[in-house]
Amino acid sequence: DPTYRKHLSMLPETERKQKLLGDWDTFTGQYFTEYRRDLHVVQPFEIPAEWPRYRGIDFGTANPYACLWGAWNPADGTCYVYRESYQKNLTAAQQAMLIRELSKHPNGKAESITSSVIDPSTFSNVSGLGQTVASVYNSLNVPVTRAKNARVAGWQNVRRYLQPDPESGEPKLKVFNHCENLLRTLPAMRHDNINPEDIDTDDEDHAVDALRYLLACRPYNEISRRRKDYQPGAEGRVQKLIDKLDRSAKKRKW
């Protein structure tokens, strides 16, 4: 039927994505409807040394703890989540030592981490240790600061990162394909029944919470203000095209 595609394009959004685009990560009630595997998941590459790196950590013991490593491309503000650690039944000390070990280059030298932010509850949670979880991390040479915990504002920031940039058509969040727990749970988040602006906390939200903490280190509105301003007219359009081609060449080189 030559009109079949046209009929599919007129379906409700969720059904349209499934049947027209073959996107079966989407479902009714999904929170992050902006997520698309073909846009947000990338092959790993070597992160340039000059890119600033951050860590976002969601603490848990019986529930998994999650740590995400993210690096920002200073040229266009894109955040690349390039590593994750996700495991349950680890003490705070074991988590910190694992994070410290993973935060090393292949030659054994420690990565330069600009900042590590952690679940704010860890600054009051002593977990029977006589000291807070955050203090345990700090004592083991994993310095942490209190993450921003505004949930709804944090989720909106994540959604802005997921949305395609109006100029390039590319989102400002990319995830290496081996970060399997983040990629598994991010599209599975649902709206909360009582507060639809929030996520249902009954879902497996540990990696997604770590992502919220991570991206709040450099809010979307701040990176968007850093975009290069081009002169109006043909000269500005040419320079913009040159810069775009240069970024593409660098990606191919990596």
Side-chain angles (χ1 to χ4, degrees):
D1 182 355
T3 64
Y4 182 61
R5 180 176 290 272
K6 181 178 180 181
H7 289 314
L8 292 181
S9 67
M10 293 186 291
L11 291 171
E13 182 180 10
T14 297
E15 195 175 359
R16 178 182 62 81
K17 285 184 176 181
Q18 292 173 337
K19 296 182 177 179
L20 180 61
L21 303 178
D23 181 3
W24 295 96
D25 285 318
T26 189
F27 58 90
T28 301
Q30 183 181 32
Y31 193 91
F32 295 112
T33 56
E34 301 84 359
Y35 175 78
R36 282 178 50 187
R37 192 172 295 270
D38 60 321
L39 283 181
H40 297 101
V41 183
V42 297
Q43 292 287 335
F45 58 86
E46 185 177 351
I47 300 291
E50 68 272 15
W51 287 15
R53 306 178 189 216
Y54 295 76
R55 292 182 296 220
I57 306 164
D58 185 58
F59 175 72
T61 49
N63 287 320
Y65 101 100
C67 179
L68 300 179
W69 286 253
W72 269 260
N73 181 349
D76 62 8
T78 301
C79 175
Y80 289 84
V81 177
Y82 63 94
R83 184 186 298 130
E84 73 168 15
S85 179
Y86 191 90
Q87 196 170 337
K88 64 180 180 180
N89 297 325
L90 294 183
T91 66
Q94 289 172 324
Q95 293 169 23
M97 289 187 289
L98 179 58
I99 290 170
R100 189 179 64 196
E101 187 63 28
L102 291 172
S103 300
K104 291 181 179 179
H105 296 289
N107 61 8
K109 184 179 178 181
E111 291 179 326
S112 176
I113 303 295
T114 302
S115 179
S116 299
V117 293
I118 193 170
D119 177 359
S121 69
T122 60
F123 287 83
S124 57
N125 181 357
V126 296
S127 294
L129 301 172
Q131 58 180 323
T132 66
V133 170
S135 296
V136 173
Y137 270 74
N138 288 325
S139 69
L140 292 169
N141 202 28
V142 181
V144 292
T145 58
R146 192 185 304 265
K148 296 177 182 177
N149 201 29
R151 291 181 59 85
V152 173
W155 298 134
Q156 293 307 308
N157 185 51
V158 174
R159 298 184 80 162
R160 291 294 302 279
Y161 265 95
L162 288 168
Q163 292 169 355
D165 182 82
E167 294 182 0
S168 67
E170 292 289 330
K172 294 299 181 185
L173 177 64
K174 302 280 188 176
V175 182
F176 281 13
N177 61 13
H178 57 231
C179 298
E180 58 183 30
N181 292 290
L182 176 60
L183 294 175
R184 174 177 59 83
T185 56
L186 179 62
M189 294 298 100
R190 300 173 297 164
H191 289 273
D192 183 76
N193 288 329
I194 299 175
N195 180 7
E197 297 301 322
D198 200 354
I199 278 177
D200 190 334
T201 55
D202 289 334
D203 290 338
E204 189 181 347
D205 58 0
H206 318 297
V208 181
D209 275 335
L211 179 66
R212 171 165 59 92
Y213 299 148
L214 175 68
L215 295 182
C217 293
R218 304 187 75 170
Y220 182 89
N221 60 352
E222 291 185 9
I223 67 162
S224 64
R225 284 198 294 266
R226 295 192 184 102
R227 293 176 187 164
K228 186 173 180 179
D229 293 326
Y230 296 97
Q231 295 181 3
E235 183 178 349
R237 290 195 296 272
V238 170
Q239 185 59 52
K240 181 178 177 181
L241 177 60
I242 291 173
D243 289 348
K244 183 177 181 181
L245 292 173
D246 182 60
R247 289 194 296 271
S248 297
K250 289 179 179 178
K251 288 181 180 179
R252 288 195 294 271
K253 181 179 178 181
W254 295 331

